[in-house]
Amino acid sequence: MTKNKGEARKFDPTFKGPIHNRGCTDVFCCILFILAILGYFAVGILAWSQGDPRKVIYPTDSRGQFCGQAGTPLEKKPLLFYFNILKCASPLTLLEFQCPTTQLCVESCPTKHMTLLKAYLNKGEQEYYKQFCKEGSAPEILRDGLCPSMLMSSKPFTRRCLPALSTMKGGVVVVGNETIFDNGEGEKVNATDFLDASKKSNVVVEARQVAMRIFEDYTVSWYWILIGLVIAMVVSLIFIILLRYLAGIMIWVMIVMVILVIGYGIFHCAMEYRSLKGEPGSDVTIRDLGLQTDFSVYLQIRQTWLAFMIILSIVEVVVILLLIFLRKRVLIAIALIKEASRAVGHVMSSLFYPLLTFALLALVIAYWAITAVFLSTSNEQVYKVFNTTECDYSRNTCNPEVSHKMSLFFHISQCPDAECLFAFYGGETYYHKYLILFQFYNVFLFFWCANFVTALGQVTLAGAFASYYWAFKKPDDIPANPICSSLGRALRYHTGSLAFGSLILSLVQVIRVLLEYLDQKLKAAQNRFAKFLLSCLKCCFWCLEKFIKFLNRNAYIMVAIYGKSFCTSARDAFFLLMRNIIRVAVLDKVTDFLLFLGKLLIVGIVGICSFFFFSGRIKAVEQTAPSLNYYWVPILTVVVGSYLIAHGFFSVYAMCVDTLFLCFCEDLERNDGSPERPYFMSPELHEILSKTKMADQKPSASL
């Protein structure tokens, strides 16, 4: 059995921690990674030379011209007007802002309802109607399609004129050649098309309204959000410092506080549930309510608070049961956290290393996002033939510069209403044909670079904490600037190993992205076997990703200590963990659970404070709190930001615990505690772990 788990480490009197005399590892992967980065830069330069971000910022008319762009004839026409908004009824069309109808840049949206016939009969209305016609033509030229059949009162939204349907009253409203409202003079009514189009577009319009309200909330509360994040950082830092000197007390305080915070959440939900009893409309279910843009409506029904109370109660019971069954293991985990606190105290610069990781990840994300925008906007303007009648030339590519001749041609071809309109951005060059490959390359390199940055942080921290553990006389034998020394070794010798490990993880993540893409495509399919197979694949690759992350993390620790290749380090780490599988399950995971409780405590404290502040529950600061559309927007932002900040600080502790744990397992194999082969661990940790080992051996002996 031992042979299958690899050979145990043997005593080596010359071993004093991370090896300094080491060579470069996984050179091929290093060269491949450098070439991939150079190719990434080439794709970025190519995208930046071809792309045009103005296509994202400014709407375009039927000729692909930008509305409201400075220095152009359309500078004073920032809004886009649709001749027939009914053709934009599809939600997908509204999201892409591409409709099969004439689109015109205008100075302002229509403010009143008017038909072309009314403008023709009223000379005073012709000048007003004329500004919504192509090329400033007279409004009576309907047969050439140069003017819209009607105008509807509209409001600008994301620089587009969308109908203000709520202001519409009776009267004749004509779309194309159809009357859709009765004018009281006996004309036929056909309102179905208009109402169906309105219902379809309302989903997207309301979603955009929510987005705009959220944006408004951010504009008035961003500085309070920053203050909340600063408070989260201060609380996290204070918690880490107290953990350095009062690890045992802080862990128990943290456990009790987490239970109390969750308990208060249950109490608050119960009180809200009780207070809504008998209120009108409070017994409505969430299913009956449906999707609402005003999310505060959900807080006015009892079912919402009942759901929150049940979820928090389940979490509370799970936490308490885990603590009861793992009470002995919690004592051991506290001892390991105490040792980690001493290590962090001697390597204080490790607390600030996550800032470097955050900066590098921000750089990677920014480069990927900018490149993605330029790639998606690097297509050329493509014009298609749009017409309402059936025609063999529909959707053919056309040239708007010869639209007049084309109109005559299509008139002869029984397509009198055909128009050459801007359809989308594309192209026929080799660049445009392989654009999808460039976009895929951008996504793949994003994953690879992001995982490389994370791996660099892990191996740097592992090397620094391993230097602490293998220093026999602490802190005298700890090398100067362990973080800088470890970072230098990682970049100089092990770039290839880090690239290899991150490449494997990136391949799995890209496969998961492709599976999610296929899942979205097959949602409308009725093939149950395909859905089942896809769900199984998604589950398998999710598990594979978790396993690779766990193996990579421990492999990087071995790379930092021994300076071997990635595969060798991964094998050694795997066998070492297998030889200590009980300790891995007991110590490592219990410690992770306790650190996770620390994150929850910080998030809970900051989240509760932000809830009382932004919801105006605190009378002393009620006038100071900003006026918001949705007070949950800044609260959720602060909560997520607080968790990321707490995770950044606690990730140092987690990496320290994992490194010390592997070093401890090797210490037990290399040494026996005798004067000739003394342990490197602290006496307190050795005493607790020895008792644990004896306790674990008793059940196995009885079996």
Side-chain angles (χ1 to χ4, degrees):
M1 191 72 175
T2 306
K3 190 174 182 180
N4 294 333
K5 296 180 181 178
E7 296 183 359
R9 295 285 181 182
K10 297 180 180 180
F11 174 70
D12 183 4
T14 62
F15 181 74
K16 301 296 182 182
I19 298 174
H20 295 280
N21 297 325
R22 57 179 72 193
C24 297
T25 57
D26 298 306
V27 178
F28 175 76
C29 288
C30 179
I31 296 174
L32 182 63
F33 183 65
I34 293 175
L35 292 177
I37 292 296
L38 293 177
Y40 200 18
F41 286 143
V43 170
I45 294 173
L46 184 62
W48 298 341
S49 63
Q50 300 288 332
D52 190 355
R54 296 176 302 173
K55 298 172 185 177
V56 178
I57 302 174
Y58 301 100
T60 53
D61 63 6
S62 296
R63 294 192 175 184
Q65 298 173 317
F66 297 108
C67 300
Q69 184 184 358
T72 65
L74 301 178
E75 180 178 2
K76 296 183 178 180
K77 298 181 177 181
L79 303 176
L80 187 66
F81 170 73
Y82 299 94
F83 269 32
N84 189 351
I85 193 65
L86 294 184
K87 295 183 179 180
C88 308
S90 170
L92 182 61
T93 301
L94 279 174
L95 285 173
E96 296 177 351
F97 301 117
Q98 296 172 4
C99 302
T101 185
T102 303
Q103 302 168 40
L104 192 69
C105 296
V106 295
E107 295 184 10
S108 60
C109 296
T111 57
K112 50 187 175 181
H113 306 292
M114 185 183 304
T115 63
L116 184 59
L117 178 62
K118 181 179 179 181
Y120 176 76
L121 297 176
N122 190 344
K123 297 294 183 180
E125 300 288 354
Q126 290 185 9
E127 286 300 320
Y128 178 80
Y129 208 95
K130 183 178 179 181
Q131 61 180 317
F132 302 103
C133 296
K134 291 167 59 176
E135 302 174 358
S137 57
E140 63 264 23
I141 312 179
L142 174 61
R143 61 181 178 82
D144 291 334
L146 300 180
C147 289
S149 303
M150 70 163 186
L151 298 180
M152 287 189 296
S153 178
S154 305
K155 292 182 180 180
F157 189 79
T158 63
R159 302 191 180 189
R160 276 87 176 169
C161 294
L162 297 180
L165 301 179
S166 59
T167 62
M168 293 184 63
K169 298 181 181 179
V172 179
V173 182
V174 179
V175 181
N177 296 320
E178 295 183 359
T179 304
I180 63 175
F181 285 104
D182 189 4
N183 65 349
E185 297 180 359
E187 295 188 21
K188 294 182 179 180
V189 179
N190 184 12
T192 304
D193 294 339
F194 186 81
L195 293 177
D196 289 344
S198 300
K199 291 178 180 178
K200 291 179 181 179
S201 61
N202 276 346
V203 176
V204 179
V205 172
E206 289 181 1
R208 290 180 184 166
Q209 289 176 350
V210 172
M212 292 301 295
R213 291 170 185 166
I214 292 175
F215 180 76
E216 291 175 358
D217 288 342
Y218 278 125
T219 58
V220 299
S221 64
W222 63 269
Y223 47 91
W224 292 110
I225 293 175
L226 289 180
I227 293 175
L229 296 179
V230 170
I231 292 175
M233 184 176 63
V234 172
V235 172
S236 300
L237 188 59
I238 293 175
F239 195 91
I240 292 296
I241 294 174
L242 292 176
L243 202 62
R244 163 68 179 89
Y245 298 101
L246 303 169
I249 298 176
M250 287 300 299
I251 292 297
W252 286 114
V253 170
M254 176 185 68
I255 292 173
V256 174
M257 288 294 293
V258 167
I259 295 175
L260 291 178
V261 168
I262 299 176
Y264 173 78
I266 297 172
F267 171 76
H268 181 80
C269 293
M271 294 302 295
E272 291 287 346
Y273 178 79
R274 184 177 179 181
S275 64
L276 290 174
K277 185 177 181 180
E279 293 291 331
S282 61
D283 292 328
V284 177
T285 63
I286 297 177
R287 179 178 294 182
D288 295 335
L289 202 59
L291 179 63
Q292 299 291 327
T293 57
D294 186 2
F295 293 97
S296 61
V297 175
Y298 294 105
L299 301 179
Q300 307 301 321
I301 60 177
R302 303 182 72 199
Q303 192 181 62
T304 302
W305 293 105
L306 179 62
F308 288 159
M309 185 170 59
I310 293 174
I311 293 172
L312 290 177
S313 300
I314 293 174
V315 173
E316 183 87 325
V317 171
V318 170
V319 170
I320 293 175
L321 289 178
L322 285 175
L323 291 173
I324 291 174
F325 287 107
L326 299 175
R327 59 189 183 278
K328 294 182 179 179
R329 308 305 180 188
V330 169
L331 297 175
I332 306 167
I334 290 175
L336 195 57
I337 291 177
K338 285 182 179 179
E339 191 68 18
S341 299
R342 297 189 190 98
V344 173
H346 290 296
V347 192
M348 287 297 293
S349 57
S350 61
L351 291 176
F352 301 98
Y353 185 84
L355 297 177
L356 177 61
T357 301
F358 175 79
L360 293 176
L361 284 177
L363 182 64
V364 171
I365 294 173
Y367 185 86
W368 163 78
I370 294 173
T371 304
V373 169
F374 275 89
L375 282 173
S376 61
T377 59
S378 59
N379 289 310
E380 298 174 350
Q381 300 165 1
V382 175
Y383 299 88
K384 295 287 185 179
V385 176
F386 291 97
N387 60 288
T388 56
T389 58
E390 291 295 331
C391 179
D392 295 336
Y393 305 98
S394 297
R395 304 292 176 171
N396 281 8
T397 305
C398 59
N399 187 350
E401 301 299 329
V402 292
S403 58
H404 180 70
K405 295 180 180 179
M406 185 198 69
S407 177
L408 179 61
F409 171 76
F410 279 107
H411 180 72
I412 298 174
S413 303
Q414 297 182 350
C415 292
D417 58 342
E419 292 182 281
C420 183
L421 303 177
F422 167 74
F424 56 86
Y425 288 100
E428 300 295 332
T429 64
Y430 284 105
Y431 171 79
H432 296 102
K433 288 181 179 179
Y434 297 104
L435 184 60
I436 185 65
L437 295 180
F438 293 145
Q439 293 172 337
F440 176 80
Y441 188 78
N442 183 37
V443 173
F444 177 72
L445 262 292
F446 164 72
F447 281 117
W448 197 358
C449 293
N451 290 325
F452 179 85
V453 170
T454 303
L456 179 63
Q458 291 175 347
V459 77
T460 299
L461 293 174
F465 293 130
S467 300
Y468 163 82
Y469 184 92
W470 296 109
F472 189 73
K473 294 181 180 179
K474 302 176 179 65
D476 297 336
D477 293 342
I478 300 176
N481 301 320
I483 288 290
C484 295
S485 301
S486 181
L487 178 61
R489 289 195 302 268
L491 292 175
R492 181 178 179 182
Y493 298 110
H494 306 303
T495 300
S497 298
L498 301 181
F500 191 14
S502 56
L503 174 62
I504 297 174
L505 181 58
S506 300
L507 290 174
V508 176
Q509 290 174 334
V510 168
I511 293 175
R512 288 194 63 200
V513 171
L514 293 177
L515 290 176
E516 291 292 340
Y517 175 77
L518 290 176
D519 188 31
Q520 294 295 325
K521 289 294 184 181
L522 294 176
K523 272 190 174 180
Q526 301 299 324
N527 193 331
R528 294 184 178 181
F529 176 76
K531 292 181 178 180
F532 172 76
L533 181 61
L534 193 60
S535 299
C536 292
L537 288 174
K538 289 168 63 176
C539 179
C540 292
F541 277 97
W542 180 84
C543 296
L544 180 61
E545 181 183 357
K546 295 299 180 183
F547 174 75
I548 290 177
K549 284 183 177 180
F550 174 77
L551 187 61
N552 282 8
R553 186 182 181 91
N554 291 280
Y556 295 145
I557 296 174
M558 303 302 283
V559 168
I561 297 174
Y562 295 102
K564 296 182 180 180
S565 64
F566 175 80
C567 291
T568 303
S569 300
R571 181 198 62 193
D572 294 342
F574 180 76
F575 285 142
L576 179 61
L577 293 173
M578 288 298 101
R579 292 195 297 268
N580 298 270
I581 188 63
I582 296 179
R583 292 192 179 96
V584 172
V586 171
L587 293 180
D588 199 37
K589 296 310 168 188
V590 173
T591 307
D592 290 343
F593 173 68
L594 293 179
L595 294 178
F596 177 71
L597 290 183
K599 300 176 191 177
L600 286 185
L601 177 61
I602 294 173
V603 172
I605 293 174
V606 178
I608 290 175
C609 294
S610 61
F611 169 77
F612 280 104
F613 176 77
F614 288 111
S615 62
R617 304 293 179 94
I618 305 177
K619 299 298 181 181
V621 295
E622 187 175 3
Q623 301 299 326
T624 309
S627 178
L628 302 169
N629 296 305
Y630 311 120
Y631 66 82
W632 55 264
V633 171
I635 295 174
L636 188 61
T637 305
V638 170
V639 167
V640 174
S642 300
Y643 180 82
L644 294 177
I645 291 172
H647 178 73
F649 281 100
F650 278 90
S651 64
V652 176
Y653 258 84
M655 196 67 204
C656 181
V657 168
D658 290 343
T659 303
L660 296 183
F661 179 75
L662 281 186
C663 293
F664 157 74
C665 293
E666 291 223 331
D667 195 7
L668 288 179
E669 294 182 351
R670 287 180 177 275
N671 307 300
D672 56 8
S674 63
E676 295 79 16
R677 298 168 59 183
Y679 289 123
F680 283 78
M681 71 185 77
S682 64
E684 298 87 355
L685 182 62
H686 176 256
E687 181 181 358
I688 294 178
L689 293 175
S690 298
K691 293 180 181 179
T692 307
K693 184 177 181 181
M694 293 176 62
D696 292 334
Q697 287 176 348
K698 287 181 181 180
S700 61
S702 62
L703 293 174

